[in-house]
Amino acid sequence: MSGVDWEPLRARARELSGRAYAPYSRFPVGAAALVDDGRVVAGCNVENAGYGVALCAECGLVSELVAGGGGRLVAVTCCNAIGERLMPCGRCRQLLWEHGGPGLLVDTPLGVLPMSEVLPQAFGAADIDHITRGAAGVAGREDS
């Protein structure tokens, strides 16, 4: 879809799922993404005894993106230990939206979908800008 060669991304995600640190859930996950400059970034889940502070594979992927100089994600895939495609969790959908936007292609278990369908009516930076700019005007008014 849209000129993306999905097989190398899926292979990289499978490779990274084998490097996951998942001693608690025993559910390794790998993720890989294509960046708008042609790079591939990837990550795996890293668990912690304090379950709530575990890092999803997509967190590692975005960390590599930012550490490598940034850019915009174009296509992303996630998989489990046996290579089955996974849908990113809600937190990761938001994270991916921030770094890929509505046109980011997501390789879901039901096929490739744009992020705008994976995370409809997403909350983003524009929502914050809208309020903070408006709040500055409201804060400067005097009540009559």
Side-chain angles (χ1 to χ4, degrees):
M1 177 173 222
S2 297
V4 174
D5 188 356
W6 288 100
E7 221 24 69
L9 289 178
R10 291 173 183 149
R12 183 74 173 135
R14 284 191 300 273
E15 176 189 349
L16 270 282
S17 73
R19 296 182 187 176
Y21 178 73
Y24 306 102
S25 72
R26 300 193 194 312
F27 194 84
V29 176
L34 178 64
V35 182
D36 60 0
D37 63 7
R39 286 179 295 144
V40 171
V41 292
C44 59
N45 59 322
V46 178
E47 295 181 347
N48 186 287
Y51 284 91
V53 294
L55 298 174
C56 296
E58 298 88 337
C59 294
L61 178 154
V62 169
S63 182
E64 184 179 342
L65 171 73
V66 173
R72 298 297 286 169
L73 298 175
V74 174
V76 65
T77 188
C78 304
C79 72
N80 62 21
I82 59 174
E84 296 170 330
R85 283 177 261 176
L86 298 173
M87 182 62 89
C89 73
R91 176 180 80 164
C92 289
R93 291 180 202 195
Q94 182 68 38
L95 184 65
L96 293 169
W97 177 277
E98 185 87 11
H99 296 278
L104 171 62
L105 298 176
V106 183
D107 191 23
T108 79
L110 298 178
V112 176
L113 296 172
M115 184 55 80
S116 59
E117 290 183 35
V118 172
L119 187 62
Q121 300 183 48
F123 182 85
D127 297 295
I128 296 170
D129 289 344
H130 170 73
I131 295 302
T132 55
R133 286 185 194 156
V138 171
R141 286 191 312 203
E142 291 183 26
D143 290 330
S144 334

